[in-house]
Structures are given as structure tokens and as C-alpha cells.
Amino acid sequence: METPSACQSSSYSISVGPLLYYWSRQDTFDFYAALATSPADIIYLGETVCSRRHLLRSADWLDLATMLRDAGKHVVLSTRTLIETTAEANAMRQLCEQDRFPVEAGEMGAVAARKGEPFVAGPHLNAYNGDALRWLHKQGAMRFVVPLEMDRDALEALIAEAPPAMEVEVMVWGRMPLAFSARCFTARHFRLNKDDCQFRCSEHPDGLDLRTRDSQDFLAINGIQTQSAACLDLLDEVPALVKIGIDVLRVSPQSRGTLEAIAALDAMRDGVAPAAVPLPDGMARCNGYWHGRAGIELVEYV
């Protein structure tokens, strides 16, 4: 296995996925101000989890998008993954019909709403084979984000089947969003109704940990979203990812370590050994899926 410092290719771009948590308005603006001066190339923006989160409105996201574009970033607006109401469907269509910024389609309704215009196929479209990728490409997909549970061998086979003009993006750092539900798990945890959730998810900037009866961190809940308890960390696998032809490496925002993960990816593409990347307090690392094992596992780098 190659060492992380052996990756001397500048052939990949660094992306930052949409913010999955309900941070304060000031924390959110501060975070994106920091990203504007970071080595990240592509920034995904938008509320993709819950339409009740209202501290930033559409105009605020567009202002952030303009600021980041002016800073030289390629900005993509992400749609929600689970659409439940007419209002949510209308908001999704409005986002897909605007022509100021590209769109990441979180679900198939957004693919249809793009009407053939270019888009990024998000990870929850679940494209697992060449036929699916070729169909998405015909609909306008210029890039697809690999489903999070794919191992290296399956990913390499999928890339071989992908249309040559279609870029491939892989998430390499951050808690993995695994599933979505109409039920708000955070509200239920606090014995609240979803429509009267009191925005308790704002109290948990990296989600709320769930433990087994044996006190093992197992999952994290973030509103209607279920995540991995541990932070996916494929930074050691960057040389392997580059070797099989990945175009974009994605970092998913956490309250701590995000900028350091971006800096590590930037160092590696310049052939420099990266500094250690901190994690939010109490969070472990995982990489099991990449190795064809349970996602919660950590295969230590040797």
C-alpha cells in the first residue's frame, strides 16, 4: 500500500459537501468565510435535511454562493434528499430551474426538474451500475457522487462502466449520511412532535450519538437523517483513489477538523505529507466499507 505522502498528482479536485447540521447563522457564515480562503475547489450549498430549518433562507444561500464564486470557488446548490410536501417540491423545482449555479440532485424529482440541464448526481440516487450511470448521463449528469457503502473493488468496476465524460466524486471524510425518514428522530428522542421540535437538533452540531446496550457508539441522528457514529476517514487511501481514477474527493462538514481535512488533501496532491486531522470530541474513525467490511470498522493503516 502506498503511503499518503506518495500521492503527487494534482489530478483531483477537493469538494466540501452541503452542511448537514443546524448550526447558528453566525457559525454558518463564519464557516463559509473560512472556506472562501481554503484550498477547496468545489463547495456544495443548501439545506438538504429539513425544510423547517430556517435560520438561512434561499436568499442567504444565494448570497453565500455569490461570495464563494467571487472567491474563485465552483459552487453547486444541493437539493433535499427527501421531499414530503408540496411546498418542498415547489422549492426544489425553483432551485433546479435557476441558472445562476449548477445543482446537485438529491433525489429523482430533482433530476426530472433539471429537464436535461447539467447537474451532479448525489450519493443517494444510488447508482450502482453502468446502466444507471449511462441513464443519468443522458439526463444531464456531469458528475456522480459514489454511494457511501461501495468498497474499492466494486467502485473500480463501476468506474470502468461509467461514461468517459462523467466525473466521479467520492466522500473521504466526515460522518456518513446513511438513511432518511419522514420521522424526525431528534424530536422523538426528546419526546416532541416533529411539527413542534423546538429545533433541538441545533443543540448538537455533529448530530446526536446513539449507543448500543453495550455502550458502543453505533449511529448518530440528525433530524430525519441517520448517520454513522464514527467519522469516515479515507485520507490514507487517497493514492489508491487517484490510481483508480477518482476526479473529486469530498469532505463533509463537521464542527471540528473540516478545514484540516481539506488542508491534508491539498498537501497530498502537492506531494507533501499531511498533518494529523482532529475529530470532534468523542468521535472515532471508520473506513470499513472501503475494505469490504462493516462500515463501522476501522482498518488501521500500515
Side-chain angles (χ1 to χ4, degrees):
M1 183 182 295
E2 297 175 87
T3 63
S5 60
C7 180
Q8 298 183 5
S9 171
S10 60
S11 61
Y12 64 84
S13 298
I14 301 169
S15 71
V16 180
L19 176 61
L20 303 179
Y21 307 104
Y22 197 28
W23 293 355
S24 73
R25 181 181 176 88
Q26 189 60 54
D27 285 346
T28 302
F29 277 99
D30 289 346
F31 174 69
Y32 286 110
L35 286 186
T37 59
S38 78
D41 306 294
I42 304 167
I43 311 293
Y44 292 83
L45 290 176
E47 176 53 58
T48 64
V49 177
C50 180
S51 61
R52 284 178 54 78
R53 297 176 178 179
H54 62 277
L55 289 178
L56 269 71
R57 304 290 188 176
S58 296
D60 295 314
W61 289 115
L62 288 172
D63 286 345
L64 284 173
T66 300
M67 179 273 291
L68 289 164
R69 183 174 62 186
D70 291 345
K73 309 303 181 185
H74 180 75
V75 178
V76 182
L77 301 180
S78 298
T79 75
R80 290 192 62 218
T81 301
L82 182 62
I83 304 294
E84 298 183 75
T85 68
T86 299
E88 291 169 356
N90 289 337
M92 176 270 292
R93 282 192 290 269
Q94 290 176 3
L95 188 151
C96 289
E97 290 169 0
Q98 58 80 38
D99 58 5
R100 293 174 59 187
F101 299 96
V103 170
E104 178 187 34
E107 44 79 56
M108 292 306 297
V111 174
R114 286 300 286 168
K115 299 178 181 178
E117 293 297 316
F119 66 92
V120 177
H124 304 294
L125 294 185
N126 297 330
Y128 292 103
N129 57 64
D131 287 341
L133 291 180
R134 286 187 286 273
W135 182 85
L136 286 168
H137 187 57
K138 289 180 180 178
Q139 309 311 307
M142 57 183 180
R143 180 165 67 246
F144 77 98
V145 186
V146 174
L148 300 173
E149 69 274 20
M150 269 202 158
D151 61 49
R152 174 177 176 166
D153 292 341
L155 176 55
E156 193 166 6
L158 181 63
I159 291 172
E161 297 182 13
M166 200 175 189
E167 291 186 333
V168 186
E169 181 170 351
V170 171
M171 178 176 159
V172 297
W173 193 89
R175 270 186 163 163
M176 294 180 285
L178 301 173
F180 297 80
S181 171
R183 171 175 289 174
C184 177
F185 298 112
T186 305
R188 182 174 177 83
H189 174 80
F190 290 105
R191 294 180 171 83
L192 298 169
N193 293 325
K194 181 179 180 180
D195 293 337
D196 184 28
C197 64
Q198 300 175 21
F199 304 105
R200 297 297 293 270
C201 56
S202 65
E203 301 170 5
H204 304 279
D206 293 293
L208 178 62
D209 293 337
L210 291 180
R211 296 181 175 87
T212 66
R213 291 183 177 179
D214 297 327
S215 297
Q216 178 188 15
D217 288 337
F218 177 53
L219 295 170
I221 55 175
N222 174 41
I224 68 167
Q225 186 183 69
T226 305
Q227 302 179 322
S228 61
C231 175
L232 173 67
D233 187 351
L234 293 182
L235 298 180
D236 287 340
E237 303 297 339
V238 168
L241 288 160
V242 172
K243 187 174 182 179
I244 64 176
I246 302 304
D247 301 291
V248 182
L249 301 181
R250 174 182 288 206
V251 171
S252 187
Q254 304 292 158
S255 66
R256 184 168 181 251
T258 305
L259 295 173
E260 291 87 347
I262 296 167
L265 288 170
D266 185 50
M268 283 186 278
R269 67 180 171 183
D270 288 337
V272 178
V277 177
L279 293 174
D281 292 342
M283 194 181 295
R285 297 184 300 129
C286 67
N287 59 13
Y289 284 142
W290 172 256
H291 296 280
R293 300 166 67 167
I296 198 172
E297 293 186 28
L298 176 66
V299 178
E300 292 285 359
Y301 181 77
V302 179

